[in-house]
Amino acid sequence: MPTDELTWPLLPHTQAKHDILQRYLNAWFPIMARYASLLGGKRLVYIDGFAGPGEYDDGENGSPVIVLNTLLQHSLWSSILSKLNHTLLFIELDSKRADHLEHQLAGIAKPANVRWQVVKGAFEPVLTALLDSLQATGGTLAPAFVFIDPFGPEGFPMKLVRRILGHQRSEVLITLNLRRLNQSYLHTRNEYAHADDLYGCQDEVPSIGV
């Protein structure tokens, strides 16, 4: 829901996305913790590419707070998850929303093995710089889950998603607004370059009747 306001109402489809994210991570955290431990790893990574302010108009939690609570309140925290280090990276372009998110997260008590950072910037350049840095040093991502939930169909080109998935044990969850895509690009030929970036190819894309 695009808006110039600091926060906005929590809509039913957004609540559904949060339910999916929470249920998936409730399984992902312990599964990947066990897997990382078997391979001698000591860290899990969560990245939110379009983090937002951390709450909605009526005080409902945004995805960063939901994810942090899902980790810290997990039933397997003491037996499995507490044995690893956890890094959570929240990327937000709007500086006021980023500041608000930092305030929201600061109120959550966390143990020493959980580290979070709010990065003010756009998802594509921030994550590209991170991956470039790893590549330059011969490093690789720890098992990572990347949540991409933008307002519209921009800022997460398939070439970037491909680079993320090129790191073993990394996963990406994307919410793609087909209505916005259809309204913004698919009816206008001179806007097709955006769709090419999104899908990672130059195939003819038919308009979607939504």
Side-chain angles (χ1 to χ4, degrees):
M1 180 178 179
T3 177
D4 293 328
E5 300 297 326
L6 177 63
T7 62
W8 53 92
L10 176 65
L11 299 178
H13 75 273
T14 303
Q15 180 64 63
K17 286 188 295 187
H18 289 169
D19 290 344
I20 292 170
L21 177 66
Q22 184 174 20
R23 291 182 184 185
Y24 194 92
L25 287 177
N26 200 52
W28 186 85
F29 278 127
I31 289 173
M32 295 311 298
R34 291 188 182 99
Y35 190 71
S37 297
L38 287 174
L39 296 178
K42 297 181 179 180
R43 187 162 65 103
L44 295 181
V45 174
Y46 172 85
I47 300 173
D48 194 326
F50 300 80
E55 68 172 343
Y56 291 87
D57 278 354
D58 292 330
E60 304 96 333
N61 289 333
S63 58
V65 178
I66 290 171
V67 169
L68 192 52
N69 285 336
T70 299
L71 173 63
L72 297 177
Q73 298 172 12
H74 201 288
S75 61
L76 297 177
W77 169 261
S78 59
S79 59
I80 298 175
L81 297 176
S82 62
K83 308 297 190 294
L84 277 76
N85 294 317
H86 300 269
T87 299
L88 298 93
L89 187 64
F90 304 110
I91 304 171
E92 173 53 44
L93 178 60
D94 186 280
S95 60
K96 291 183 178 180
R97 292 173 183 165
D99 290 341
H100 193 80
L101 174 58
E102 286 189 325
H103 177 74
Q104 295 295 109
L105 296 175
I108 301 176
K110 62 185 188 302
N113 64 322
V114 175
R115 183 174 66 89
W116 57 261
Q117 181 181 4
V118 177
V119 178
K120 298 177 182 179
F123 172 65
E124 182 179 359
V126 169
L127 206 61
T128 296
L130 171 62
L131 296 177
D132 286 347
S133 176
L134 288 173
Q135 183 176 345
T137 59
T140 186
L141 274 176
F145 186 94
V146 183
F147 182 43
I148 302 176
D149 183 27
F151 282 140
E154 293 183 40
F156 56 105
M158 193 54 58
K159 63 182 180 181
L160 178 56
V161 175
R162 188 182 300 117
R163 287 191 69 185
I164 297 169
L165 295 177
H167 292 263
Q168 290 186 345
R169 303 176 298 280
S170 292
E171 300 184 33
V172 176
L173 174 61
I174 302 173
T175 61
L176 178 58
N177 189 324
L178 291 178
R179 183 181 298 275
R180 289 288 305 282
L181 176 63
N182 193 43
Q183 292 172 344
S184 300
Y185 305 144
L186 300 186
H187 287 303
T188 308
R189 184 167 293 277
N190 62 8
E191 297 286 355
Y192 276 15
H194 294 290
D196 292 343
D197 287 342
L198 176 63
Y199 286 110
C201 66
Q202 295 181 335
D203 296 345
E204 187 77 10
V205 181
S207 294
I208 303 170
V210 295

